[in-house]
Amino acid sequence: QVQLVESGGGLVQAGGSLRLSCAASGRTFGEYAMGWFRQAPGKEREFVVAITWSGGKRYYADSVKGRFTISRENAKNTVYLQMNSLKPEDTAVYYCAADSSEATVTYEPSYWGQGTQVTVSS
């Protein structure tokens, strides 16, 4: 089992930045690929970004390429999502996710956090 706890959400103006954190506990963090998903009101949850267990590969949704960056610190059991140039359409609940497969983490991860709200005002 892996427990995931997100933090860092909040309200920001368009063009601003936020950094989300996801602290993991339980099984060995370094064995898991990590990802972020988001769900806007009235919409389905969507993939945002993922990173392999080593941090050597990253996968981004087209909508966030060049604006969002995922990173991880295995020594701290933490993954980060740096979000720059935020837009109102980035408003959503952001969920941290984990899976032992770097492929599966991008569409059907085994573990989820509880989510953190990000609101971007225009």
Side-chain angles (χ1 to χ4, degrees), residues 23 25 42 59 76 118:
S25 60
Y59 305 94
K76 294 185 177 181
V118 171

Side-chain angles (χ1 to χ4, degrees), residues 36-39 44-48 63 89:
W36 290 92
F37 288 70
R38 66 186 181 186
Q39 187 168 20
E44 293 187 354
R45 190 176 299 185
E46 64 175 0
F47 169 74
V48 177
S63 58
E89 51 264 43

Side-chain angles (χ1 to χ4, degrees), residues 6-12 18-21 83 92 94 116-119:
E6 304 96 333
S7 61
L11 174 65
V12 63
L18 278 176
R19 189 175 81 156
L20 306 183
S21 298
M83 304 184 294
Y94 283 71
T116 185
Q117 176 71 46
V118 171
T119 303

Side-chain angles (χ1 to χ4, degrees), residues 2 5-6 9-10 24 26 29 33 45 63-64 86 93 97 103 113 115:
V2 176
V5 179
E6 304 96 333
F29 177 73
R45 190 176 299 185
S63 58
V64 305
L86 283 161
V93 177

Side-chain angles (χ1 to χ4, degrees), residues 18-68:
L18 278 176
R19 189 175 81 156
L20 306 183
S21 298
C22 174
S25 60
R27 299 288 297 274
T28 305
F29 177 73
E31 297 178 353
Y32 285 82
M34 303 295 296
W36 290 92
F37 288 70
R38 66 186 181 186
Q39 187 168 20
K43 296 187 177 181
E44 293 187 354
R45 190 176 299 185
E46 64 175 0
F47 169 74
V48 177
V49 61
I51 188 169
T52 56
W53 67 269
S54 68
K57 293 183 181 179
R58 295 167 172 83
Y59 305 94
Y60 293 92
D62 288 343
S63 58
V64 305
K65 281 181 181 177
R67 300 189 299 122
F68 290 13

